[in-house]
PDB file of all heavy atoms in Angstrom:
ATOM      1  N   GLY A  33      -2.993   6.486  -1.393  1.00  0.00           N
ATOM      2  CA  GLY A  33      -2.867   7.803  -0.780  1.00  0.00           C
ATOM      3  C   GLY A  33      -3.590   8.843  -1.640  1.00  0.00           C
ATOM      4  O   GLY A  33      -3.504   8.778  -2.863  1.00  0.00           O
ATOM      5  N   LEU A  34      -4.236   9.780  -0.999  1.00  0.00           N
ATOM      6  CA  LEU A  34      -5.014  10.830  -1.646  1.00  0.00           C
ATOM      7  C   LEU A  34      -4.499  12.209  -1.269  1.00  0.00           C
ATOM      8  O   LEU A  34      -3.890  12.389  -0.237  1.00  0.00           O
ATOM      9  CB  LEU A  34      -6.486  10.735  -1.225  1.00  0.00           C
ATOM     10  CG  LEU A  34      -7.177   9.392  -1.369  1.00  0.00           C
ATOM     11  CD1 LEU A  34      -8.568   9.472  -0.773  1.00  0.00           C
ATOM     12  CD2 LEU A  34      -7.228   8.969  -2.808  1.00  0.00           C
ATOM     13  N   VAL A  35      -4.778  13.200  -2.122  1.00  0.00           N
ATOM     14  CA  VAL A  35      -4.485  14.564  -1.788  1.00  0.00           C
ATOM     15  C   VAL A  35      -5.510  15.026  -0.763  1.00  0.00           C
ATOM     16  O   VAL A  35      -6.704  14.985  -1.023  1.00  0.00           O
ATOM     17  CB  VAL A  35      -4.570  15.462  -3.035  1.00  0.00           C
ATOM     18  CG1 VAL A  35      -4.322  16.931  -2.656  1.00  0.00           C
ATOM     19  CG2 VAL A  35      -3.571  15.026  -4.129  1.00  0.00           C
ATOM     20  N   ARG A  36      -5.038  15.403   0.393  1.00  0.00           N
ATOM     21  CA  ARG A  36      -5.950  15.857   1.454  1.00  0.00           C
ATOM     22  C   ARG A  36      -6.081  17.354   1.448  1.00  0.00           C
ATOM     23  O   ARG A  36      -5.213  18.077   0.907  1.00  0.00           O
ATOM     24  CB  ARG A  36      -5.541  15.318   2.813  1.00  0.00           C
ATOM     25  CG  ARG A  36      -4.153  15.736   3.216  1.00  0.00           C
ATOM     26  CD  ARG A  36      -3.759  15.127   4.578  1.00  0.00           C
ATOM     27  NE  ARG A  36      -2.391  15.397   4.830  1.00  0.00           N
ATOM     28  CZ  ARG A  36      -1.418  14.500   4.729  1.00  0.00           C
ATOM     29  NH1 ARG A  36      -1.686  13.264   4.441  1.00  0.00           N
ATOM     30  NH2 ARG A  36      -0.187  14.848   4.974  1.00  0.00           N
ATOM     31  N   ASP A  37      -7.138  17.858   2.061  1.00  0.00           N
ATOM     32  CA  ASP A  37      -7.408  19.277   2.016  1.00  0.00           C
ATOM     33  C   ASP A  37      -6.748  20.102   3.092  1.00  0.00           C
ATOM     34  O   ASP A  37      -6.719  21.314   3.026  1.00  0.00           O
ATOM     35  CB  ASP A  37      -8.915  19.533   2.023  1.00  0.00           C
ATOM     36  CG  ASP A  37      -9.596  19.038   3.298  1.00  0.00           C
ATOM     37  OD1 ASP A  37      -8.962  18.292   4.072  1.00  0.00           O
ATOM     38  OD2 ASP A  37     -10.771  19.383   3.523  1.00  0.00           O
ATOM     39  N   ILE A  38      -6.147  19.423   4.076  1.00  0.00           N
ATOM     40  CA  ILE A  38      -5.453  20.108   5.145  1.00  0.00           C
ATOM     41  C   ILE A  38      -4.128  19.376   5.408  1.00  0.00           C
ATOM     42  O   ILE A  38      -4.074  18.160   5.493  1.00  0.00           O
ATOM     43  CB  ILE A  38      -6.280  20.140   6.470  1.00  0.00           C
ATOM     44  CG1 ILE A  38      -7.534  20.987   6.229  1.00  0.00           C
ATOM     45  CG2 ILE A  38      -5.468  20.678   7.625  1.00  0.00           C
ATOM     46  CD1 ILE A  38      -8.448  21.048   7.451  1.00  0.00           C
ATOM     47  N   ASN A  39      -3.061  20.164   5.550  1.00  0.00           N
ATOM     48  CA  ASN A  39      -1.767  19.613   5.958  1.00  0.00           C
ATOM     49  C   ASN A  39      -1.152  20.533   6.958  1.00  0.00           C
ATOM     50  O   ASN A  39      -0.968  21.717   6.712  1.00  0.00           O
ATOM     51  CB  ASN A  39      -0.857  19.439   4.752  1.00  0.00           C
ATOM     52  CG  ASN A  39       0.434  18.706   5.104  1.00  0.00           C
ATOM     53  OD1 ASN A  39       0.473  17.954   6.050  1.00  0.00           O
ATOM     54  ND2 ASN A  39       1.475  18.946   4.331  1.00  0.00           N
ATOM     55  N   GLN A  40      -0.881  19.967   8.128  1.00  0.00           N
ATOM     56  CA  GLN A  40      -0.251  20.686   9.228  1.00  0.00           C
ATOM     57  C   GLN A  40      -1.025  21.985   9.523  1.00  0.00           C
ATOM     58  O   GLN A  40      -0.449  23.051   9.709  1.00  0.00           O
ATOM     59  CB  GLN A  40       1.195  20.948   8.924  1.00  0.00           C
ATOM     60  CG  GLN A  40       1.975  19.684   8.779  1.00  0.00           C
ATOM     61  CD  GLN A  40       3.459  19.875   8.483  1.00  0.00           C
ATOM     62  OE1 GLN A  40       3.950  20.990   8.290  1.00  0.00           O
ATOM     63  NE2 GLN A  40       4.188  18.789   8.482  1.00  0.00           N
ATOM     64  N   GLY A  41      -2.373  21.871   9.530  1.00  0.00           N
ATOM     65  CA  GLY A  41      -3.228  23.011   9.893  1.00  0.00           C
ATOM     66  C   GLY A  41      -3.493  24.012   8.789  1.00  0.00           C
ATOM     67  O   GLY A  41      -4.252  24.957   8.955  1.00  0.00           O
ATOM     68  N   GLU A  42      -2.914  23.798   7.617  1.00  0.00           N
ATOM     69  CA  GLU A  42      -3.063  24.713   6.490  1.00  0.00           C
ATOM     70  C   GLU A  42      -4.100  24.159   5.515  1.00  0.00           C
ATOM     71  O   GLU A  42      -4.024  22.994   5.158  1.00  0.00           O
ATOM     72  CB  GLU A  42      -1.685  24.873   5.807  1.00  0.00           C
ATOM     73  CG  GLU A  42      -1.656  25.864   4.680  1.00  0.00           C
ATOM     74  CD  GLU A  42      -1.403  27.278   5.147  1.00  0.00           C
ATOM     75  OE1 GLU A  42      -0.772  27.468   6.190  1.00  0.00           O
ATOM     76  OE2 GLU A  42      -1.874  28.176   4.425  1.00  0.00           O
ATOM     77  N   GLN A  43      -5.018  25.002   5.063  1.00  0.00           N
ATOM     78  CA  GLN A  43      -5.978  24.589   4.024  1.00  0.00           C
ATOM     79  C   GLN A  43      -5.287  24.478   2.683  1.00  0.00           C
ATOM     80  O   GLN A  43      -4.653  25.417   2.251  1.00  0.00           O
ATOM     81  CB  GLN A  43      -7.127  25.617   3.959  1.00  0.00           C
ATOM     82  CG  GLN A  43      -8.233  25.227   3.023  1.00  0.00           C
ATOM     83  CD  GLN A  43      -9.120  24.116   3.582  1.00  0.00           C
ATOM     84  OE1 GLN A  43      -9.335  24.060   4.782  1.00  0.00           O
ATOM     85  NE2 GLN A  43      -9.602  23.247   2.736  1.00  0.00           N
ATOM     86  N   ILE A  44      -5.368  23.309   2.051  1.00  0.00           N
ATOM     87  CA  ILE A  44      -4.679  23.046   0.812  1.00  0.00           C
ATOM     88  C   ILE A  44      -5.701  22.993  -0.343  1.00  0.00           C
ATOM     89  O   ILE A  44      -6.780  22.409  -0.205  1.00  0.00           O
ATOM     90  CB  ILE A  44      -3.907  21.699   0.867  1.00  0.00           C
ATOM     91  CG1 ILE A  44      -2.973  21.667   2.060  1.00  0.00           C
ATOM     92  CG2 ILE A  44      -3.198  21.383  -0.428  1.00  0.00           C
ATOM     93  CD1 ILE A  44      -1.957  22.751   2.090  1.00  0.00           C
ATOM     94  N   THR A  45      -5.349  23.548  -1.517  1.00  0.00           N
ATOM     95  CA  THR A  45      -6.238  23.495  -2.654  1.00  0.00           C
ATOM     96  C   THR A  45      -5.633  22.628  -3.804  1.00  0.00           C
ATOM     97  O   THR A  45      -6.376  22.209  -4.662  1.00  0.00           O
ATOM     98  CB  THR A  45      -6.548  24.887  -3.205  1.00  0.00           C
ATOM     99  OG1 THR A  45      -5.304  25.540  -3.575  1.00  0.00           O
ATOM    100  CG2 THR A  45      -7.278  25.717  -2.139  1.00  0.00           C
ATOM    101  N   ALA A  46      -4.323  22.438  -3.826  1.00  0.00           N
ATOM    102  CA  ALA A  46      -3.678  21.641  -4.853  1.00  0.00           C
ATOM    103  C   ALA A  46      -2.331  21.153  -4.378  1.00  0.00           C
ATOM    104  O   ALA A  46      -1.752  21.700  -3.421  1.00  0.00           O
ATOM    105  CB  ALA A  46      -3.515  22.452  -6.126  1.00  0.00           C
ATOM    106  N   LEU A  47      -1.794  20.151  -5.062  1.00  0.00           N
ATOM    107  CA  LEU A  47      -0.522  19.557  -4.728  1.00  0.00           C
ATOM    108  C   LEU A  47       0.196  19.298  -6.044  1.00  0.00           C
ATOM    109  O   LEU A  47      -0.389  18.750  -6.982  1.00  0.00           O
ATOM    110  CB  LEU A  47      -0.714  18.254  -3.959  1.00  0.00           C
ATOM    111  CG  LEU A  47       0.538  17.433  -3.680  1.00  0.00           C
ATOM    112  CD1 LEU A  47       1.411  18.129  -2.652  1.00  0.00           C
ATOM    113  CD2 LEU A  47       0.120  16.054  -3.155  1.00  0.00           C
ATOM    114  N   THR A  48       1.474  19.688  -6.129  1.00  0.00           N
ATOM    115  CA  THR A  48       2.267  19.421  -7.294  1.00  0.00           C
ATOM    116  C   THR A  48       3.431  18.567  -6.881  1.00  0.00           C
ATOM    117  O   THR A  48       4.127  18.888  -5.898  1.00  0.00           O
ATOM    118  CB  THR A  48       2.781  20.725  -7.932  1.00  0.00           C
ATOM    119  OG1 THR A  48       1.675  21.537  -8.262  1.00  0.00           O
ATOM    120  CG2 THR A  48       3.591  20.439  -9.200  1.00  0.00           C
ATOM    121  N   LEU A  49       3.651  17.447  -7.576  1.00  0.00           N
ATOM    122  CA  LEU A  49       4.769  16.555  -7.303  1.00  0.00           C
ATOM    123  C   LEU A  49       5.708  16.569  -8.472  1.00  0.00           C
ATOM    124  O   LEU A  49       5.308  16.420  -9.622  1.00  0.00           O
ATOM    125  CB  LEU A  49       4.253  15.128  -7.091  1.00  0.00           C
ATOM    126  CG  LEU A  49       3.526  14.932  -5.765  1.00  0.00           C
ATOM    127  CD1 LEU A  49       2.594  13.769  -5.825  1.00  0.00           C
ATOM    128  CD2 LEU A  49       4.523  14.749  -4.664  1.00  0.00           C
ATOM    129  N   GLU A  50       7.006  16.764  -8.173  1.00  0.00           N
ATOM    130  CA  GLU A  50       8.036  16.768  -9.195  1.00  0.00           C
ATOM    131  C   GLU A  50       9.068  15.673  -8.894  1.00  0.00           C
ATOM    132  O   GLU A  50       9.191  15.269  -7.708  1.00  0.00           O
ATOM    133  CB  GLU A  50       8.717  18.116  -9.258  1.00  0.00           C
ATOM    134  CG  GLU A  50       7.779  19.231  -9.723  1.00  0.00           C
ATOM    135  CD  GLU A  50       8.462  20.575  -9.909  1.00  0.00           C
ATOM    136  OE1 GLU A  50       9.693  20.669  -9.742  1.00  0.00           O
ATOM    137  OE2 GLU A  50       7.750  21.553 -10.173  1.00  0.00           O
ATOM    138  N   HIS A  51       9.806  15.245  -9.909  1.00  0.00           N
ATOM    139  CA  HIS A  51      10.809  14.210  -9.712  1.00  0.00           C
ATOM    140  C   HIS A  51      11.794  14.212 -10.852  1.00  0.00           C
ATOM    141  O   HIS A  51      11.570  14.864 -11.906  1.00  0.00           O
ATOM    142  CB  HIS A  51      10.153  12.848  -9.578  1.00  0.00           C
ATOM    143  CG  HIS A  51       9.677  12.284 -10.882  1.00  0.00           C
ATOM    144  ND1 HIS A  51      10.136  11.124 -11.394  1.00  0.00           N
ATOM    145  CD2 HIS A  51       8.769  12.756 -11.799  1.00  0.00           C
ATOM    146  CE1 HIS A  51       9.553  10.878 -12.571  1.00  0.00           C
ATOM    147  NE2 HIS A  51       8.705  11.854 -12.809  1.00  0.00           N
ATOM    148  N   TYR A  52      12.899  13.490 -10.701  1.00  0.00           N
ATOM    149  CA  TYR A  52      13.839  13.219 -11.792  1.00  0.00           C
ATOM    150  C   TYR A  52      13.624  11.767 -12.172  1.00  0.00           C
ATOM    151  O   TYR A  52      13.899  10.872 -11.367  1.00  0.00           O
ATOM    152  CB  TYR A  52      15.303  13.421 -11.335  1.00  0.00           C
ATOM    153  CG  TYR A  52      15.645  14.869 -11.055  1.00  0.00           C
ATOM    154  CD1 TYR A  52      16.039  15.265  -9.785  1.00  0.00           C
ATOM    155  CD2 TYR A  52      15.577  15.813 -12.063  1.00  0.00           C
ATOM    156  CE1 TYR A  52      16.334  16.584  -9.523  1.00  0.00           C
ATOM    157  CE2 TYR A  52      15.867  17.151 -11.806  1.00  0.00           C
ATOM    158  CZ  TYR A  52      16.259  17.519 -10.533  1.00  0.00           C
ATOM    159  OH  TYR A  52      16.556  18.857 -10.289  1.00  0.00           O
ATOM    160  N   PRO A  53      13.089  11.491 -13.362  1.00  0.00           N
ATOM    161  CA  PRO A  53      12.653  10.145 -13.729  1.00  0.00           C
ATOM    162  C   PRO A  53      13.638   9.007 -13.439  1.00  0.00           C
ATOM    163  O   PRO A  53      13.294   8.045 -12.749  1.00  0.00           O
ATOM    164  CB  PRO A  53      12.317  10.268 -15.208  1.00  0.00           C
ATOM    165  CG  PRO A  53      11.936  11.693 -15.364  1.00  0.00           C
ATOM    166  CD  PRO A  53      12.819  12.454 -14.434  1.00  0.00           C
TER     167      PRO A  53
END
Side-chain angles (χ1 to χ4, degrees):
L34 308 174
V35 177
R36 59 182 172 254
D37 61 348
I38 294 178
N39 187 24
Q40 299 180 354
E42 184 86 28
Q43 186 73 35
I44 305 302
T45 60
L47 173 70
T48 302
L49 288 157
E50 295 184 4
H51 76 119
Y52 292 118

